């Protein structure tokens, strides 16, 4: 059996060019003990993958040039040499960016039995959802009644952050760009604020209008002018959870820091970055809280779906152009 997979031909500087991603084919060997073969149905592309294209080891190893890339995926076990998994099991794993994955069963997990679409475990009930929950609750220690600001609020992570904060009784402000994204946030009961055609001061003024009593929690996904604008509106003792800074991921040279970082001192605020993998022992707690809300329809989540394995690089690159509302997914098979 053959597997088609994407690989990188070189590490990019700046926004990756489409030509750096090549689709290759390999003949799969016989299964070794403890291996499984999975026909992928859904692939995840996520902003953190840009860091793995740098050639440098950060909190995760870089992609290896010429080797199959990796990412979250949902698929069906079609062969197994592991007693824990059997043919027909629907599983989640990290053998993405390919149609057939032959990998160690150690990192393969059968999906929980819940009345939700299987691809939800790549989005609202997967790593992005867990990231939202972790940053809001464990890092920012969000409390009922807080004024909560979220950047990239219509994305896979941000859109769950705003809804979890609303469920706590918080006043929530969401930063987004496109008009349809702002309209969706407003339908969720969020105060929408656009960053389009605004500098840091103009964005700060808009945040103040949306939340005259200041900001207690800022969930950071963007950086740049969003961070600078947020710093000016912090209340005393504010908490900032830094999930990511997508504004810098494709920068070709270091960007200047916020000009008003001193507000962290003046407001006696706390800013903490986090990696969700360090908190994965809380995943069952997250599922117990959020799954019933998703099943009941109390959580509104959106997906942007691209069709076919060949579209995977394009889906990834669109993340940096605001091309997704909610979770960006690639549907590989029916």
């Amino acid at each position: 059996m053959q597997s088609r997979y994407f690989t990188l031909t070189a590490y990019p500087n700046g926004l990756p060019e489409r030509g750096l991603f090549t689709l290759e084919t390999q003949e799969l060997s016989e299964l070794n003990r403890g291996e499984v073969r999975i026909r992928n149905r859904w692939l995840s592309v996520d902003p953190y993958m840009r860091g793995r294209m740098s050639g440098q080891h950060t909190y995760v190893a870089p992609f290896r040039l010429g080797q199959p890339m990796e990412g979250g995926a949902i698929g069906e076990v079609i062969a197994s040499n592991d007693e824990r998994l059997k043919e027909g099991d629907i599983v989640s794993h990290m053998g993405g960016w390919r149609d057939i994955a032959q990998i160690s069963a150690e990192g393969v997990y059968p999906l929980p039995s819940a009345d939700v679409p299987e691809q939800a475990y790549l989005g609202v009930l997967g790593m992005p959802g867990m990231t939202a929950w972790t940053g809001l609750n464990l890092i920012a220690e969000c409390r009922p009644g807080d004024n909560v600001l979220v950047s990239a609020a219509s994305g896979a992570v941000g859109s769950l952050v705003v809804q979890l904060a609303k469920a706590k009784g918080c006043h929530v402000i969401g930063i987004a760009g496109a008009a349809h994204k702002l309209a969706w946030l407003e339908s969720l009961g969020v105060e929408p604020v656009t960053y389009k055609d605004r500098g840091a001061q103009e964005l700060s003024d808009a945040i103040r209008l949306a939340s005259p009593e200041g900001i207690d929690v800022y969930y950071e996904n963007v950086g740049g002018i969003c961070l600078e604008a947020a710093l000016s509106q912090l209340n005393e003792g504010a908490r900032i959870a830094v999930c990511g800074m997508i504004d810098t991921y494709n920068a070709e040279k270091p960007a200047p820091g916020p000009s008003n970082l001193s507000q962290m001192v003046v407001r006696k605020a706390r800013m903490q970055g986090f990696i969700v993998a360090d908190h994965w022992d809380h995943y069952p707690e997250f599922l117990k809280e959020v799954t019933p809300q998703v099943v009941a329809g109390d959580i509104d989540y959106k997906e942007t779906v691209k069709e076919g394995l060949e579209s995977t690089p394009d889906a990834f690159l669109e993340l940096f152009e605001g091309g997704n509302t909610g979770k960006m997914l690639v549907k590989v098979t029916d």
Side-chain angles (χ1 to χ4, degrees):
M1 176 175 284
Q2 291 185 328
S3 170
R4 295 188 301 153
Y5 65 91
F6 274 100
T7 187
L8 277 178
T9 58
Y11 294 123
N13 181 30
L15 183 68
E17 296 181 1
R18 177 62 175 80
L20 293 180
F21 303 88
T22 62
L23 187 59
E24 305 284 352
T25 301
Q26 65 177 359
E27 193 72 31
L28 296 174
S29 62
E30 294 296 318
L31 286 176
N32 293 319
R33 184 174 179 83
E35 285 189 334
V36 291
R37 186 176 294 165
I38 303 164
R39 187 182 305 279
N40 284 332
R41 296 180 175 182
W42 296 91
L43 306 179
S44 174
V45 290
D46 302 279
Y48 83 86
M49 294 175 174
R50 178 60 183 86
R52 299 195 67 184
M53 299 175 189
S54 66
Q56 300 176 356
H57 194 292
T58 54
Y59 62 88
V60 64
F63 291 127
R64 292 180 295 167
L65 299 181
Q67 297 297 311
M69 297 171 67
E70 300 170 334
I74 299 291
E76 179 183 355
V77 174
I78 56 175
S80 175
N81 197 359
D82 181 87
E83 60 185 18
R84 187 173 58 88
L85 299 167
K86 63 182 186 300
E87 290 185 27
D89 285 348
I90 307 302
V91 296
S92 64
H93 60 98
M94 286 299 293
W97 289 80
R98 66 196 89 177
D99 55 2
I100 306 292
Q102 184 164 310
I103 56 177
S104 168
E106 185 176 348
V108 178
Y109 303 98
L111 296 189
S113 56
D115 187 19
V116 298
E118 61 191 24
Q119 70 270 21
Y121 290 98
L122 292 177
V124 66
L125 294 177
M127 183 272 290
M130 177 62 180
T131 302
W133 183 90
T134 299
L136 187 69
N137 294 298
L138 304 185
I139 306 302
E141 298 175 348
C142 182
R143 299 183 289 262
D146 278 343
N147 296 317
V148 178
L149 175 67
V150 183
S151 58
S154 65
V157 174
S159 60
L160 184 57
V161 175
V162 298
Q163 294 182 75
L164 293 177
K166 287 291 294 183
K168 285 180 175 286
C170 298
H171 175 62
V172 184
I173 307 92
I175 301 173
H180 70 277
K181 297 181 179 182
L182 296 167
W184 180 40
L185 292 174
E186 189 170 17
S187 74
L188 297 175
V190 174
E191 293 279 354
V193 173
T194 184
Y195 66 86
K196 290 289 188 181
D197 302 318
R198 282 176 168 166
Q201 185 57 57
E202 292 172 307
L203 181 55
S204 178
D205 292 341
I207 293 170
R208 184 174 64 251
L209 286 175
S211 185
E213 296 183 357
I215 299 299
D216 302 301
V217 168
Y218 176 42
Y219 196 107
E220 173 67 289
N221 291 308
V222 176
I225 67 167
C226 291
L227 177 56
E228 185 161 337
L231 289 173
S232 294
Q233 301 304 321
L234 297 181
N235 288 331
E236 186 173 303
R239 292 89 64 202
I240 302 174
V242 183
C243 169
M245 291 191 174
I246 196 171
D247 190 58
T248 68
Y249 291 175
N250 293 304
E252 297 183 25
K253 59 183 180 180
S259 63
N260 58 344
L261 196 57
S262 61
Q263 290 299 313
M264 293 291 298
V265 179
V266 175
R267 308 295 182 182
K268 293 180 279 188
R270 169 167 58 86
M271 181 162 60
Q272 180 180 343
F274 72 99
I275 304 301
V276 70
D278 295 338
H279 304 274
W280 208 256
D281 57 326
H282 291 276
Y283 185 59
E285 182 182 352
F286 157 75
L287 287 180
K288 183 178 180 180
E289 176 183 333
V290 179
T291 301
Q293 297 181 64
V294 174
V295 172
D298 296 331
I299 295 290
D300 184 12
Y301 67 95
K302 293 187 181 296
E303 299 167 343
T304 301
V305 177
K306 303 296 181 181
E307 298 281 346
L309 176 66
E310 294 80 1
S311 69
T312 309
D314 301 303
F316 170 74
L317 293 173
E318 284 191 28
L319 293 172
F320 303 97
E321 302 169 355
N324 63 300
T325 302
K327 182 73 187 83
M328 179 69 88
L329 295 166
V330 175
K331 186 177 182 183
V332 183
T333 62
D334 294 327

